[in-house]
Amino acid sequence: MTDGRDKNAPIGVFDSGIGGLTVAREIMRQMPDEDIVYFGDTARVPYGSKSKDTILRFSRQIVHFLRAKQVKAIVIACNTASAWALDPLEQEQDIPVLGVIKAGAFTAAQTTANGRIGVIATRGTIDSGVYEQVLRGLNPGFQIFGKACPLFVPLVEEGLTHDFITEEIARRYVKDLQYKGIDTLILGCTHYPLLRTLLRKVMGEKVALVNPAYETAIELKTLLVEKGLCHDPRSTGEGGALGTPSSYRFYVSDLAAQFQEFANSILPYDVAGTEQIDIEQYGVSH
Amino acid sequence: MTDGRDKNAPIGVFDSGIGGLTVAREIMRQMPDEDIVYFGDTARVPYGSKSKDTILRFSRQIVHFLRAKQVKAIVIACNTASAWALDPLEQEQDIPVLGVIKAGAFTAAQTTANGRIGVIATRGTIDSGVYEQVLRGLNPGFQIFGKACPLFVPLVEEGLTHDFITEEIARRYVKDLQYKGIDTLILGCTHYPLLRTLLRKVMGEKVALVNPAYETAIELKTLLVEKGLCHDPRSTGEGGALGTPSSYRFYVSDLAAQFQEFANSILPYDVAGTEQIDIEQYGVSH
């Protein structure tokens, strides 16, 4: 029943902190019957400026924690962790593990007309070269231009999503990408969709903005259908969307109250309780 | 010989990352005979936005590590860790433990003429109220005005220390402090001295800027003299400043190469090697 292959088991979603809630929100919207266990690593956030080995170690601890919660699938809702940890975790785990990068890359590949694609993300994601690798795997003719934007996350967390300062910084960050003539821009960090209006203004109407959160939820849904792992309200006597509400549980490694406040501000559901756990106690076994 | 009370044992200095190097640099300058073991918690940086319990747990792990290196005294070169962890660590340890806050507060108290003192720092340091508490302990008549400046650290780390964007953000941050008529401003985060020129311009010549790194090194020197713990070159056959060079060892929890590059850019000595360690393996025993 709860071996991780139960169709009524929850989906595990993790991120370095709050940004992954934009992915959880998309899963809630597209799959309202699914239960979710979310973990935000708020004691060790951010991931974007840390090394591959460290991010992989953190990710393995979190997967260990989520497996203890009997999840049936895991979504890495963090671009940096997807970049560094998805491949090893996919190999190590016997349940589906998805990252946000492939879904975003597929959409960008379908969207671009001139084959010139920009990626904005944290330093870690850009340095990993993972978007370039996935996109070139889809079409070796693509030209990929990456740009690290380390100030975007702190600016969003300061609430300056519509400020001229953020716009000025955005103009500096994307200037090179504009010179390169890109027609598609991947928002390669979970905070960046919150800057969409501003980025739309800076980039102009002709550049398509790709939000991997949206695409990842679609990929997850497709995968659950394929594997016969969709939540089945009938089997538990629930009434589907009109019956027992789905269960959303939130765990963090620090500052549960602050997390919950933010979660309530962006989720359409009220977050009843957020629990703080000591993630360092979870081993790296796999 | 190496029980932590040996006068020729090294001084332990720790910070959430690279910022504490401004404190280490002052110790090197003021006490050229002393050896130093520095630890930067680059895997879990920043501390400024995390909770008291988490910062205390991290700090205890680091103290455990430094004690294993046989240090004779410990300097917490991080304002947030000083705010949350200094008092418990002072009680738990049988060697001197210093933070950066008291030294900065003492100097501010001696500097102010009108008793109106401003403090700029991370969210954690401001929320702790520690500067206010220490300053009021020195003079209950002082009026203290704190302001969290979360964007300063990322702006410094992006190299924008002389940029009009940083100046605009600084003007917004300090506007309230200027209305309050402060005559003294404590730079309550180890990165902020790197913004001194810009802050001088924004604040004007009439407001004194207090850099706790400088004051902490003086306090440490006084304390080592009092306790007879100063390094004694004669006892090891060294020739003092003209003899065997002091030993500086650097440890981090992530990205050793990147840390070393930064260290070499701000220290007057060449950092020969930086070692990465797994700080989570150090228990919280005390």
Side-chain angles (χ1 to χ4, degrees):
Chain A
M1 284 294 283
T2 52
D3 66 346
R5 288 173 201 80
D6 177 356
K7 56 172 68 173
N8 291 331
I11 296 162
V13 179
F14 78 88
D15 181 49
S16 57
I18 58 178
L21 288 169
T22 61
V23 178
R25 181 172 63 177
E26 273 302 316
I27 297 171
M28 293 171 183
R29 203 176 63 79
Q30 296 187 30
M31 284 162 278
D33 287 332
E34 297 293 340
D35 296 337
I36 294 175
V37 175
Y38 184 96
F39 177 77
D41 199 0
T42 48
R44 302 185 294 198
V45 70
Y47 280 10
S49 53
K50 288 156 195 171
S51 72
K52 176 176 184 173
D53 287 349
T54 294
I55 298 309
L56 182 54
R57 184 161 50 84
F58 290 175
S59 299
R60 282 186 173 134
Q61 288 173 337
I62 296 165
V63 165
H64 197 83
F65 165 75
L66 291 173
R67 293 301 304 256
K69 296 291 173 192
Q70 316 292 345
V71 298
K72 65 182 172 187
I74 290 174
V75 177
I76 311 177
C78 167
N79 281 268
T80 310
S82 297
W84 293 131
L86 177 60
D87 286 346
L89 290 175
E90 268 188 318
Q91 286 171 17
E92 291 159 15
Q93 298 297 319
D94 58 1
I95 57 172
V97 182
L98 283 77
V100 285
I101 287 175
K102 285 178 189 169
F106 278 116
T107 307
Q110 289 167 341
T111 304
T112 185
N114 70 5
R116 302 173 79 83
I117 300 170
V119 181
I120 53 175
T122 63
R123 173 82 48 208
T125 302
I126 295 300
D127 287 353
S128 75
V130 66
Y131 271 108
E132 191 161 5
Q133 184 190 325
V134 175
L135 285 163
R136 286 267 170 78
L138 295 170
N139 184 334
F142 283 157
Q143 286 194 278
I144 320 301
F145 307 97
K147 179 68 187 174
C149 306
L151 286 167
F152 276 169
V153 169
L155 286 165
V156 166
E157 297 196 345
E158 272 284 82
L160 303 180
T161 48
H162 296 86
D163 197 283
F164 86 84
I165 281 184
T166 310
E167 191 175 321
E168 166 64 21
I169 287 174
R171 285 192 195 284
R172 295 184 191 184
Y173 278 149
V174 304
K175 195 168 60 182
D176 287 346
L177 301 179
Q178 290 176 311
Y179 285 145
K180 302 290 187 188
I182 61 165
D183 70 353
T184 303
L185 179 64
I186 297 175
L187 311 185
C189 169
T190 51
H191 280 70
Y192 297 1
L194 302 170
L195 294 173
R196 191 157 30 187
T197 308
L198 187 145
L199 288 168
R200 163 65 53 228
K201 184 177 170 191
V202 170
M203 296 303 298
E205 292 296 326
K206 289 183 183 163
V207 175
L209 304 182
V210 173
N211 174 8
Y214 177 77
E215 315 299 339
T216 301
I218 293 177
E219 187 189 340
L220 174 66
K221 191 172 186 177
T222 307
L223 187 80
L224 294 182
V225 169
E226 275 176 14
K227 294 194 178 285
L229 278 173
C230 291
H231 185 98
D232 181 4
R234 290 165 305 181
S235 70
T236 54
E238 300 168 21
L242 295 172
T244 312
S246 298
S247 151
Y248 302 135
R249 283 176 288 163
F250 298 87
Y251 298 87
V252 291
S253 47
D254 199 13
L255 295 170
Q258 190 174 312
F259 175 89
Q260 188 165 322
E261 192 179 331
F262 185 85
N264 277 327
S265 77
I266 75 156
L267 294 181
Y269 307 88
D270 207 38
V271 175
T274 301
E275 193 176 325
Q276 184 177 326
I277 59 145
D278 181 2
I279 194 65
E280 293 175 14
Q281 297 304 312
Y282 287 82
V284 297
S285 66
H286 47 263
Chain B
M1 286 296 285
T2 52
D3 66 347
R5 286 174 203 81
D6 177 356
K7 57 173 65 171
N8 291 331
I11 295 161
V13 179
F14 78 88
D15 180 51
S16 57
I18 58 178
L21 288 170
T22 61
V23 178
R25 182 173 61 177
E26 272 303 314
I27 297 172
M28 293 171 184
R29 204 176 61 80
Q30 296 187 29
M31 282 162 280
D33 287 332
E34 297 294 340
D35 296 337
I36 293 175
V37 175
Y38 183 96
F39 177 77
D41 198 0
T42 48
R44 303 185 294 196
V45 71
Y47 280 9
S49 52
K50 288 156 195 172
S51 74
K52 176 176 183 171
D53 287 349
T54 294
I55 298 308
L56 182 54
R57 185 161 49 83
F58 289 175
S59 299
R60 282 186 172 134
Q61 288 173 337
I62 296 166
V63 165
H64 196 84
F65 165 74
L66 291 173
R67 292 303 302 256
K69 297 290 173 192
Q70 317 291 348
V71 298
K72 65 182 172 187
I74 290 174
V75 177
I76 311 178
C78 166
N79 281 267
T80 310
S82 296
W84 294 131
L86 177 61
D87 286 347
L89 289 175
E90 269 188 318
Q91 286 171 20
E92 292 159 13
Q93 297 298 318
D94 58 0
I95 57 171
V97 182
L98 283 78
V100 286
I101 287 176
K102 285 178 188 168
F106 278 117
T107 306
Q110 289 168 341
T111 305
T112 185
N114 70 3
R116 302 171 79 82
I117 299 169
V119 181
I120 53 173
T122 62
R123 172 83 49 209
T125 301
I126 295 300
D127 287 353
S128 75
V130 67
Y131 271 108
E132 191 161 4
Q133 184 189 324
V134 175
L135 286 163
R136 285 266 171 77
L138 295 170
N139 184 335
F142 282 158
Q143 287 195 278
I144 319 302
F145 307 96
K147 179 69 186 173
C149 306
L151 286 168
F152 276 169
V153 169
L155 285 166
V156 167
E157 296 196 346
E158 273 283 84
L160 302 181
T161 47
H162 296 85
D163 197 283
F164 86 84
I165 281 184
T166 309
E167 191 176 322
E168 166 64 22
I169 287 174
R171 285 191 196 284
R172 295 184 191 185
Y173 278 149
V174 304
K175 195 168 58 181
D176 288 347
L177 302 178
Q178 289 175 312
Y179 285 146
K180 300 292 186 187
I182 62 165
D183 71 352
T184 304
L185 179 63
I186 297 174
L187 310 185
C189 169
T190 50
H191 279 70
Y192 297 1
L194 302 170
L195 294 172
R196 191 156 31 186
T197 309
L198 187 145
L199 288 167
R200 165 65 54 227
K201 183 177 171 192
V202 169
M203 297 304 296
E205 291 297 327
K206 289 182 183 163
V207 175
L209 304 182
V210 173
N211 173 9
Y214 177 75
E215 315 299 340
T216 301
I218 293 177
E219 188 190 341
L220 174 66
K221 190 173 186 177
T222 307
L223 188 80
L224 294 183
V225 169
E226 275 175 17
K227 295 196 178 282
L229 279 173
C230 291
H231 185 98
D232 181 4
R234 290 164 306 182
S235 72
T236 54
E238 299 169 22
L242 296 172
T244 312
S246 299
S247 152
Y248 302 136
R249 283 175 289 162
F250 298 88
Y251 298 87
V252 291
S253 48
D254 199 13
L255 294 170
Q258 192 173 310
F259 174 90
Q260 187 164 323
E261 191 179 332
F262 185 85
N264 277 327
S265 77
I266 75 156
L267 294 181
Y269 308 87
D270 207 38
V271 175
T274 301
E275 193 175 325
Q276 183 177 326
I277 60 147
D278 181 3
I279 193 66
E280 293 175 14
Q281 297 303 311
Y282 286 82
V284 296
S285 65
H286 47 265

